[in-house]
Every structure is written in structure tokens, then in C-alpha cells.
Amino acid sequence: MKFIIDLIEDVREQIGNHDEYLVTAGLLKQDANDSSKLIYAGEAPLNLAVLNDDKRQLEFKIDGSSKRVSIGALIPPLLILDTGAMMYELRMDVNVHYKNMEIVGFGKNDEEKKYILFIRI
């Protein structure tokens, strides 16, 4: 389980808060031959990030629109949150079949300027 504070720290360490990086979903699937391993299954751009105080979550969404979530738009509002909100869970809605998915890790692609939030499907 990952929290907002984990995201902020990783973004700072991995990409130095570079504004131009786009936030994408990285899809991981369980290996059919070895259930302890995960296989990279592709990625998709994230279109929306919403802070949900009722659920205590930062929800990322893929809705197929042309909007893209950038580090420059995402991180500054998160930095001014109170301590309690920093412990909100990170979750993702991929489509109607995969909702409220747990974000299990972070990554980056420096060549394509992408910051990746990994989920297991």
C-alpha cells in the first residue's frame, strides 16, 4: 500500500520534481508459471487525479480523454496538505472492470519523461 507521502518522496528522489514528466499507469500481471513474479503488461496515461477526503484516498483515473496528469500539476497542491492527508492511500480506476486498484510501486522512464504508478491486475 502506498500513500501520498510515499509518492512525494519518490518523485523528489527519482525525477527531482521535474514538471514536464507525465504520470502514467504501469500494468503488472502475475506470471502464469511463477506466481511470485510479476510481468510488465503495458501502460496508459492517467487523465485525472482527485483527492477524496471521504475515502482518505488520492484517486487516479483513466477516462480516455485527452487530459494528462503532469508532475507539475500534481505535486504542488500535495505539498501543502496537512499531515493527516499525507497518509491518504493512492488508488487508481483503470476501467469499469478495474476500479479502486492499489498502487504497488513507482517507476520512471527518463527518455519519454514518464513517471509510472504500478498496479497489479
PDB file of all heavy atoms in Angstrom, residues 53-82:
ATOM      1  N   ASP A  53     -11.508  13.129   0.268  1.00  0.00           N
ATOM      2  CA  ASP A  53     -11.387  13.194   1.729  1.00  0.00           C
ATOM      3  C   ASP A  53     -12.272  12.160   2.427  1.00  0.00           C
ATOM      4  O   ASP A  53     -11.907  11.664   3.493  1.00  0.00           O
ATOM      5  CB  ASP A  53     -11.733  14.598   2.223  1.00  0.00           C
ATOM      6  CG  ASP A  53     -10.674  15.621   1.840  1.00  0.00           C
ATOM      7  OD1 ASP A  53      -9.470  15.324   2.011  1.00  0.00           O
ATOM      8  OD2 ASP A  53     -11.036  16.709   1.357  1.00  0.00           O
ATOM      9  N   ASP A  54     -13.418  11.843   1.853  1.00  0.00           N
ATOM     10  CA  ASP A  54     -14.315  10.865   2.471  1.00  0.00           C
ATOM     11  C   ASP A  54     -13.679   9.480   2.554  1.00  0.00           C
ATOM     12  O   ASP A  54     -13.787   8.797   3.570  1.00  0.00           O
ATOM     13  CB  ASP A  54     -15.641  10.770   1.705  1.00  0.00           C
ATOM     14  CG  ASP A  54     -16.457  12.057   1.799  1.00  0.00           C
ATOM     15  OD1 ASP A  54     -16.292  12.802   2.788  1.00  0.00           O
ATOM     16  OD2 ASP A  54     -17.255  12.305   0.882  1.00  0.00           O
ATOM     17  N   LYS A  55     -13.008   9.067   1.477  1.00  0.00           N
ATOM     18  CA  LYS A  55     -12.361   7.752   1.447  1.00  0.00           C
ATOM     19  C   LYS A  55     -10.911   7.796   1.929  1.00  0.00           C
ATOM     20  O   LYS A  55     -10.272   6.762   2.038  1.00  0.00           O
ATOM     21  CB  LYS A  55     -12.374   7.188   0.022  1.00  0.00           C
ATOM     22  CG  LYS A  55     -13.733   6.825  -0.493  1.00  0.00           C
ATOM     23  CD  LYS A  55     -13.596   6.230  -1.886  1.00  0.00           C
ATOM     24  CE  LYS A  55     -14.915   5.834  -2.480  1.00  0.00           C
ATOM     25  NZ  LYS A  55     -14.731   5.299  -3.852  1.00  0.00           N
ATOM     26  N   ARG A  56     -10.402   9.006   2.154  1.00  0.00           N
ATOM     27  CA  ARG A  56      -8.996   9.210   2.531  1.00  0.00           C
ATOM     28  C   ARG A  56      -8.076   8.604   1.468  1.00  0.00           C
ATOM     29  O   ARG A  56      -7.183   7.818   1.770  1.00  0.00           O
ATOM     30  CB  ARG A  56      -8.719   8.641   3.920  1.00  0.00           C
ATOM     31  CG  ARG A  56      -9.562   9.301   5.016  1.00  0.00           C
ATOM     32  CD  ARG A  56      -9.236   8.827   6.404  1.00  0.00           C
ATOM     33  NE  ARG A  56      -7.840   8.789   6.749  1.00  0.00           N
ATOM     34  CZ  ARG A  56      -7.099   9.826   7.168  1.00  0.00           C
ATOM     35  NH1 ARG A  56      -7.653  10.997   7.286  1.00  0.00           N
ATOM     36  NH2 ARG A  56      -5.825   9.678   7.457  1.00  0.00           N
ATOM     37  N   GLN A  57      -8.336   9.009   0.201  1.00  0.00           N
ATOM     38  CA  GLN A  57      -7.572   8.489  -0.926  1.00  0.00           C
ATOM     39  C   GLN A  57      -7.249   9.597  -1.927  1.00  0.00           C
ATOM     40  O   GLN A  57      -8.018  10.546  -2.090  1.00  0.00           O
ATOM     41  CB  GLN A  57      -8.365   7.421  -1.680  1.00  0.00           C
ATOM     42  CG  GLN A  57      -8.650   6.182  -0.894  1.00  0.00           C
ATOM     43  CD  GLN A  57      -9.502   5.184  -1.657  1.00  0.00           C
ATOM     44  OE1 GLN A  57     -10.134   5.501  -2.653  1.00  0.00           O
ATOM     45  NE2 GLN A  57      -9.535   3.958  -1.166  1.00  0.00           N
ATOM     46  N   LEU A  58      -6.131   9.426  -2.613  1.00  0.00           N
ATOM     47  CA  LEU A  58      -5.834  10.194  -3.815  1.00  0.00           C
ATOM     48  C   LEU A  58      -6.111   9.226  -4.952  1.00  0.00           C
ATOM     49  O   LEU A  58      -5.450   8.197  -5.086  1.00  0.00           O
ATOM     50  CB  LEU A  58      -4.383  10.666  -3.842  1.00  0.00           C
ATOM     51  CG  LEU A  58      -3.929  11.379  -5.110  1.00  0.00           C
ATOM     52  CD1 LEU A  58      -4.785  12.610  -5.416  1.00  0.00           C
ATOM     53  CD2 LEU A  58      -2.458  11.769  -5.015  1.00  0.00           C
ATOM     54  N   GLU A  59      -7.138   9.536  -5.743  1.00  0.00           N
ATOM     55  CA  GLU A  59      -7.606   8.633  -6.789  1.00  0.00           C
ATOM     56  C   GLU A  59      -7.130   9.108  -8.160  1.00  0.00           C
ATOM     57  O   GLU A  59      -7.375  10.248  -8.533  1.00  0.00           O
ATOM     58  CB  GLU A  59      -9.131   8.566  -6.778  1.00  0.00           C
ATOM     59  CG  GLU A  59      -9.691   8.107  -5.456  1.00  0.00           C
ATOM     60  CD  GLU A  59     -11.184   8.334  -5.308  1.00  0.00           C
ATOM     61  OE1 GLU A  59     -11.763   9.139  -6.059  1.00  0.00           O
ATOM     62  OE2 GLU A  59     -11.766   7.697  -4.426  1.00  0.00           O
ATOM     63  N   PHE A  60      -6.469   8.225  -8.870  1.00  0.00           N
ATOM     64  CA  PHE A  60      -6.059   8.481 -10.244  1.00  0.00           C
ATOM     65  C   PHE A  60      -7.043   7.768 -11.159  1.00  0.00           C
ATOM     66  O   PHE A  60      -7.485   6.664 -10.849  1.00  0.00           O
ATOM     67  CB  PHE A  60      -4.641   7.961 -10.490  1.00  0.00           C
ATOM     68  CG  PHE A  60      -3.600   8.697  -9.697  1.00  0.00           C
ATOM     69  CD1 PHE A  60      -3.207   8.243  -8.456  1.00  0.00           C
ATOM     70  CD2 PHE A  60      -3.025   9.857 -10.201  1.00  0.00           C
ATOM     71  CE1 PHE A  60      -2.250   8.919  -7.715  1.00  0.00           C
ATOM     72  CE2 PHE A  60      -2.069  10.543  -9.470  1.00  0.00           C
ATOM     73  CZ  PHE A  60      -1.679  10.069  -8.224  1.00  0.00           C
ATOM     74  N   LYS A  61      -7.341   8.399 -12.283  1.00  0.00           N
ATOM     75  CA  LYS A  61      -8.341   7.822 -13.187  1.00  0.00           C
ATOM     76  C   LYS A  61      -7.860   7.846 -14.632  1.00  0.00           C
ATOM     77  O   LYS A  61      -7.194   8.781 -15.057  1.00  0.00           O
ATOM     78  CB  LYS A  61      -9.655   8.584 -13.074  1.00  0.00           C
ATOM     79  CG  LYS A  61     -10.254   8.532 -11.677  1.00  0.00           C
ATOM     80  CD  LYS A  61     -11.527   9.327 -11.571  1.00  0.00           C
ATOM     81  CE  LYS A  61     -12.025   9.393 -10.152  1.00  0.00           C
ATOM     82  NZ  LYS A  61     -12.510   8.174  -9.595  1.00  0.00           N
ATOM     83  N   ILE A  62      -8.246   6.795 -15.356  1.00  0.00           N
ATOM     84  CA  ILE A  62      -8.058   6.717 -16.795  1.00  0.00           C
ATOM     85  C   ILE A  62      -9.456   6.796 -17.390  1.00  0.00           C
ATOM     86  O   ILE A  62     -10.280   5.921 -17.155  1.00  0.00           O
ATOM     87  CB  ILE A  62      -7.368   5.408 -17.210  1.00  0.00           C
ATOM     88  CG1 ILE A  62      -5.979   5.324 -16.582  1.00  0.00           C
ATOM     89  CG2 ILE A  62      -7.308   5.294 -18.732  1.00  0.00           C
ATOM     90  CD1 ILE A  62      -5.284   4.003 -16.789  1.00  0.00           C
ATOM     91  N   ASP A  63      -9.731   7.875 -18.122  1.00  0.00           N
ATOM     92  CA  ASP A  63     -11.076   8.032 -18.687  1.00  0.00           C
ATOM     93  C   ASP A  63     -11.068   8.166 -20.209  1.00  0.00           C
ATOM     94  O   ASP A  63     -12.096   8.400 -20.820  1.00  0.00           O
ATOM     95  CB  ASP A  63     -11.807   9.213 -18.044  1.00  0.00           C
ATOM     96  CG  ASP A  63     -11.162  10.561 -18.321  1.00  0.00           C
ATOM     97  OD1 ASP A  63     -10.245  10.646 -19.168  1.00  0.00           O
ATOM     98  OD2 ASP A  63     -11.584  11.550 -17.693  1.00  0.00           O
ATOM     99  N   GLY A  64      -9.904   8.026 -20.826  1.00  0.00           N
ATOM    100  CA  GLY A  64      -9.820   8.085 -22.283  1.00  0.00           C
ATOM    101  C   GLY A  64      -9.813   9.486 -22.864  1.00  0.00           C
ATOM    102  O   GLY A  64      -9.750   9.647 -24.068  1.00  0.00           O
ATOM    103  N   SER A  65      -9.856  10.497 -22.003  1.00  0.00           N
ATOM    104  CA  SER A  65      -9.858  11.874 -22.506  1.00  0.00           C
ATOM    105  C   SER A  65      -8.442  12.270 -22.935  1.00  0.00           C
ATOM    106  O   SER A  65      -7.480  11.532 -22.735  1.00  0.00           O
ATOM    107  CB  SER A  65     -10.375  12.833 -21.436  1.00  0.00           C
ATOM    108  OG  SER A  65      -9.433  12.979 -20.393  1.00  0.00           O
ATOM    109  N   SER A  66      -8.322  13.448 -23.493  1.00  0.00           N
ATOM    110  CA  SER A  66      -7.011  13.928 -23.933  1.00  0.00           C
ATOM    111  C   SER A  66      -6.247  14.619 -22.803  1.00  0.00           C
ATOM    112  O   SER A  66      -5.092  14.978 -22.981  1.00  0.00           O
ATOM    113  CB  SER A  66      -7.181  14.891 -25.111  1.00  0.00           C
ATOM    114  OG  SER A  66      -7.933  16.023 -24.706  1.00  0.00           O
ATOM    115  N   LYS A  67      -6.860  14.773 -21.636  1.00  0.00           N
ATOM    116  CA  LYS A  67      -6.181  15.378 -20.484  1.00  0.00           C
ATOM    117  C   LYS A  67      -5.075  14.445 -20.000  1.00  0.00           C
ATOM    118  O   LYS A  67      -5.194  13.223 -20.102  1.00  0.00           O
ATOM    119  CB  LYS A  67      -7.157  15.638 -19.344  1.00  0.00           C
ATOM    120  CG  LYS A  67      -8.182  16.702 -19.630  1.00  0.00           C
ATOM    121  CD  LYS A  67      -8.991  17.021 -18.393  1.00  0.00           C
ATOM    122  CE  LYS A  67      -9.986  15.920 -18.122  1.00  0.00           C
ATOM    123  NZ  LYS A  67     -10.887  16.194 -17.006  1.00  0.00           N
ATOM    124  N   ARG A  68      -4.012  15.034 -19.481  1.00  0.00           N
ATOM    125  CA  ARG A  68      -2.905  14.255 -18.933  1.00  0.00           C
ATOM    126  C   ARG A  68      -2.510  14.848 -17.589  1.00  0.00           C
ATOM    127  O   ARG A  68      -2.511  16.060 -17.406  1.00  0.00           O
ATOM    128  CB  ARG A  68      -1.683  14.284 -19.864  1.00  0.00           C
ATOM    129  CG  ARG A  68      -1.930  13.697 -21.252  1.00  0.00           C
ATOM    130  CD  ARG A  68      -2.146  12.200 -21.176  1.00  0.00           C
ATOM    131  NE  ARG A  68      -2.321  11.600 -22.480  1.00  0.00           N
ATOM    132  CZ  ARG A  68      -3.488  11.238 -22.984  1.00  0.00           C
ATOM    133  NH1 ARG A  68      -4.585  11.430 -22.304  1.00  0.00           N
ATOM    134  NH2 ARG A  68      -3.574  10.676 -24.162  1.00  0.00           N
ATOM    135  N   VAL A  69      -2.158  13.996 -16.648  1.00  0.00           N
ATOM    136  CA  VAL A  69      -1.686  14.436 -15.338  1.00  0.00           C
ATOM    137  C   VAL A  69      -0.172  14.593 -15.427  1.00  0.00           C
ATOM    138  O   VAL A  69       0.534  13.654 -15.784  1.00  0.00           O
ATOM    139  CB  VAL A  69      -2.044  13.403 -14.242  1.00  0.00           C
ATOM    140  CG1 VAL A  69      -1.473  13.828 -12.907  1.00  0.00           C
ATOM    141  CG2 VAL A  69      -3.544  13.207 -14.161  1.00  0.00           C
ATOM    142  N   SER A  70       0.305  15.791 -15.117  1.00  0.00           N
ATOM    143  CA  SER A  70       1.749  16.035 -15.111  1.00  0.00           C
ATOM    144  C   SER A  70       2.230  16.194 -13.673  1.00  0.00           C
ATOM    145  O   SER A  70       1.447  16.525 -12.773  1.00  0.00           O
ATOM    146  CB  SER A  70       2.083  17.296 -15.909  1.00  0.00           C
ATOM    147  OG  SER A  70       1.645  18.441 -15.203  1.00  0.00           O
ATOM    148  N   ILE A  71       3.499  15.959 -13.476  1.00  0.00           N
ATOM    149  CA  ILE A  71       4.092  16.156 -12.151  1.00  0.00           C
ATOM    150  C   ILE A  71       3.946  17.617 -11.737  1.00  0.00           C
ATOM    151  O   ILE A  71       3.662  17.927 -10.582  1.00  0.00           O
ATOM    152  CB  ILE A  71       5.570  15.715 -12.148  1.00  0.00           C
ATOM    153  CG1 ILE A  71       5.675  14.184 -12.301  1.00  0.00           C
ATOM    154  CG2 ILE A  71       6.296  16.196 -10.898  1.00  0.00           C
ATOM    155  CD1 ILE A  71       5.045  13.382 -11.179  1.00  0.00           C
ATOM    156  N   GLY A  72       4.102  18.534 -12.698  1.00  0.00           N
ATOM    157  CA  GLY A  72       3.984  19.962 -12.406  1.00  0.00           C
ATOM    158  C   GLY A  72       2.622  20.364 -11.889  1.00  0.00           C
ATOM    159  O   GLY A  72       2.496  21.291 -11.092  1.00  0.00           O
ATOM    160  N   ALA A  73       1.570  19.675 -12.309  1.00  0.00           N
ATOM    161  CA  ALA A  73       0.220  19.971 -11.832  1.00  0.00           C
ATOM    162  C   ALA A  73      -0.123  19.165 -10.577  1.00  0.00           C
ATOM    163  O   ALA A  73      -0.894  19.623  -9.731  1.00  0.00           O
ATOM    164  CB  ALA A  73      -0.803  19.671 -12.926  1.00  0.00           C
ATOM    165  N   LEU A  74       0.449  17.984 -10.436  1.00  0.00           N
ATOM    166  CA  LEU A  74       0.099  17.083  -9.339  1.00  0.00           C
ATOM    167  C   LEU A  74       0.765  17.436  -8.013  1.00  0.00           C
ATOM    168  O   LEU A  74       0.097  17.519  -6.980  1.00  0.00           O
ATOM    169  CB  LEU A  74       0.482  15.641  -9.726  1.00  0.00           C
ATOM    170  CG  LEU A  74       0.251  14.570  -8.661  1.00  0.00           C
ATOM    171  CD1 LEU A  74      -1.227  14.413  -8.353  1.00  0.00           C
ATOM    172  CD2 LEU A  74       0.862  13.251  -9.105  1.00  0.00           C
ATOM    173  N   ILE A  75       2.060  17.640  -8.016  1.00  0.00           N
ATOM    174  CA  ILE A  75       2.824  17.727  -6.775  1.00  0.00           C
ATOM    175  C   ILE A  75       2.602  19.014  -5.967  1.00  0.00           C
ATOM    176  O   ILE A  75       2.412  18.929  -4.746  1.00  0.00           O
ATOM    177  CB  ILE A  75       4.326  17.494  -7.048  1.00  0.00           C
ATOM    178  CG1 ILE A  75       4.549  16.062  -7.560  1.00  0.00           C
ATOM    179  CG2 ILE A  75       5.174  17.755  -5.807  1.00  0.00           C
ATOM    180  CD1 ILE A  75       4.140  14.950  -6.607  1.00  0.00           C
ATOM    181  N   PRO A  76       2.615  20.208  -6.558  1.00  0.00           N
ATOM    182  CA  PRO A  76       2.481  21.418  -5.715  1.00  0.00           C
ATOM    183  C   PRO A  76       1.280  21.423  -4.763  1.00  0.00           C
ATOM    184  O   PRO A  76       1.457  21.736  -3.570  1.00  0.00           O
ATOM    185  CB  PRO A  76       2.423  22.564  -6.735  1.00  0.00           C
ATOM    186  CG  PRO A  76       3.235  22.045  -7.886  1.00  0.00           C
ATOM    187  CD  PRO A  76       2.883  20.575  -7.953  1.00  0.00           C
ATOM    188  N   PRO A  77       0.059  21.042  -5.191  1.00  0.00           N
ATOM    189  CA  PRO A  77      -1.043  21.030  -4.225  1.00  0.00           C
ATOM    190  C   PRO A  77      -0.878  19.970  -3.123  1.00  0.00           C
ATOM    191  O   PRO A  77      -1.374  20.144  -2.017  1.00  0.00           O
ATOM    192  CB  PRO A  77      -2.282  20.723  -5.068  1.00  0.00           C
ATOM    193  CG  PRO A  77      -1.890  20.912  -6.481  1.00  0.00           C
ATOM    194  CD  PRO A  77      -0.418  20.781  -6.548  1.00  0.00           C
ATOM    195  N   LEU A  78      -0.169  18.888  -3.442  1.00  0.00           N
ATOM    196  CA  LEU A  78       0.046  17.841  -2.436  1.00  0.00           C
ATOM    197  C   LEU A  78       1.012  18.303  -1.345  1.00  0.00           C
ATOM    198  O   LEU A  78       0.895  17.892  -0.189  1.00  0.00           O
ATOM    199  CB  LEU A  78       0.571  16.568  -3.089  1.00  0.00           C
ATOM    200  CG  LEU A  78      -0.342  15.887  -4.109  1.00  0.00           C
ATOM    201  CD1 LEU A  78       0.333  14.640  -4.667  1.00  0.00           C
ATOM    202  CD2 LEU A  78      -1.697  15.566  -3.518  1.00  0.00           C
ATOM    203  N   LEU A  79       1.959  19.146  -1.704  1.00  0.00           N
ATOM    204  CA  LEU A  79       2.965  19.594  -0.752  1.00  0.00           C
ATOM    205  C   LEU A  79       2.386  20.450   0.375  1.00  0.00           C
ATOM    206  O   LEU A  79       3.006  20.558   1.437  1.00  0.00           O
ATOM    207  CB  LEU A  79       4.070  20.378  -1.474  1.00  0.00           C
ATOM    208  CG  LEU A  79       4.945  19.571  -2.415  1.00  0.00           C
ATOM    209  CD1 LEU A  79       5.893  20.486  -3.173  1.00  0.00           C
ATOM    210  CD2 LEU A  79       5.711  18.495  -1.671  1.00  0.00           C
ATOM    211  N   ILE A  80       1.222  21.044   0.166  1.00  0.00           N
ATOM    212  CA  ILE A  80       0.635  21.912   1.194  1.00  0.00           C
ATOM    213  C   ILE A  80      -0.450  21.216   2.013  1.00  0.00           C
ATOM    214  O   ILE A  80      -1.095  21.851   2.839  1.00  0.00           O
ATOM    215  CB  ILE A  80       0.093  23.218   0.571  1.00  0.00           C
ATOM    216  CG1 ILE A  80      -1.011  22.935  -0.451  1.00  0.00           C
ATOM    217  CG2 ILE A  80       1.220  24.037  -0.036  1.00  0.00           C
ATOM    218  CD1 ILE A  80      -1.715  24.163  -0.967  1.00  0.00           C
ATOM    219  N   LEU A  81      -0.634  19.924   1.798  1.00  0.00           N
ATOM    220  CA  LEU A  81      -1.621  19.163   2.575  1.00  0.00           C
ATOM    221  C   LEU A  81      -1.177  19.044   4.028  1.00  0.00           C
ATOM    222  O   LEU A  81       0.021  19.051   4.327  1.00  0.00           O
ATOM    223  CB  LEU A  81      -1.798  17.763   1.990  1.00  0.00           C
ATOM    224  CG  LEU A  81      -2.430  17.666   0.609  1.00  0.00           C
ATOM    225  CD1 LEU A  81      -2.391  16.218   0.124  1.00  0.00           C
ATOM    226  CD2 LEU A  81      -3.865  18.180   0.636  1.00  0.00           C
ATOM    227  N   ASP A  82      -2.142  18.878   4.926  1.00  0.00           N
ATOM    228  CA  ASP A  82      -1.791  18.663   6.324  1.00  0.00           C
ATOM    229  C   ASP A  82      -1.266  17.244   6.509  1.00  0.00           C
ATOM    230  O   ASP A  82      -1.373  16.400   5.625  1.00  0.00           O
ATOM    231  CB  ASP A  82      -2.966  18.967   7.251  1.00  0.00           C
ATOM    232  CG  ASP A  82      -4.158  18.040   7.043  1.00  0.00           C
ATOM    233  OD1 ASP A  82      -3.960  16.826   6.843  1.00  0.00           O
ATOM    234  OD2 ASP A  82      -5.303  18.532   7.091  1.00  0.00           O
TER     235      ASP A  82
END
